[in-house]
Amino acid sequence: MGFKIISPAIKAEAIRLVVEAGYSAPQAAQITGVGPTALRRWVEEWRQQQAAIPATTAAQALLIEELREQLAASERAREVLAEERDVLKKQLPSHLAKILKPRRSSRR
C-alpha cells in the first residue's frame, strides 16, 4: 500500500494542534486527515528541533557564533577545493596531449 503526500501546511497545522492547542495526536490526526503515527513522529521531530535551540540570548549568540565559524571553515575548504580543481584543469590538457599523441606505426 502506498502513502499519500501531505503538504507542509497541513503538517504544520497538525503539529500546531498538538503542541499549542492541546489536542491529542489521534484527535489532531482525525481533524487534519493524517495518520496518528506519522503525526506523533512529526511532533517528536519538532520537539527535538526546538530543544536544539537555546533558550537564553547568550546561548543563542554562542550558537550563532559557532555556526558562523563552521560556515567560514566550509567556505575556506571550498576555496581550497576550487584552487585544486583549477590546477588540475590547467594540467589536464598537457597530460592528455601526451596520452593522445599519435604514435608511429611499426608496420609499413
Side-chain angles (χ1 to χ4, degrees):
M1 186 170 166
F3 60 92
K4 67 179 182 180
I5 298 174
I6 308 296
S7 74
I10 292 175
K11 183 177 176 179
E13 178 61 19
I15 293 170
R16 190 195 66 75
L17 287 173
V18 173
V19 174
E20 294 176 7
Y23 285 87
S24 68
Q27 290 171 333
Q30 187 175 14
I31 291 169
T32 57
V34 299
T37 304
L39 180 54
R40 284 188 196 98
R41 187 178 66 246
W42 297 341
V43 169
E44 183 60 31
E45 289 171 1
W46 182 86
R47 287 185 175 144
Q48 287 176 356
Q49 288 174 351
Q50 295 303 310
I53 299 173
T56 64
T57 307
Q60 289 175 354
L62 275 173
L63 177 62
I64 290 169
E65 187 58 34
E66 288 174 11
L67 293 173
R68 283 188 180 146
E69 290 172 7
Q70 289 177 2
L71 178 61
S74 295
E75 289 174 350
R76 286 191 298 271
R78 185 188 54 79
E79 289 171 2
V80 168
L81 287 173
E83 289 173 6
E84 291 174 356
R85 181 202 62 216
D86 292 343
V87 167
L88 290 173
K89 277 180 153 180
K90 289 177 184 175
Q91 291 178 351
L92 185 62
S94 63
H95 291 299
L96 281 177
K98 290 177 186 176
I99 293 171
L100 299 176
K101 183 178 180 180
R103 296 183 182 171
R104 292 186 182 173
S105 175
S106 61
R107 288 194 268 168
R108 286 195 171 187

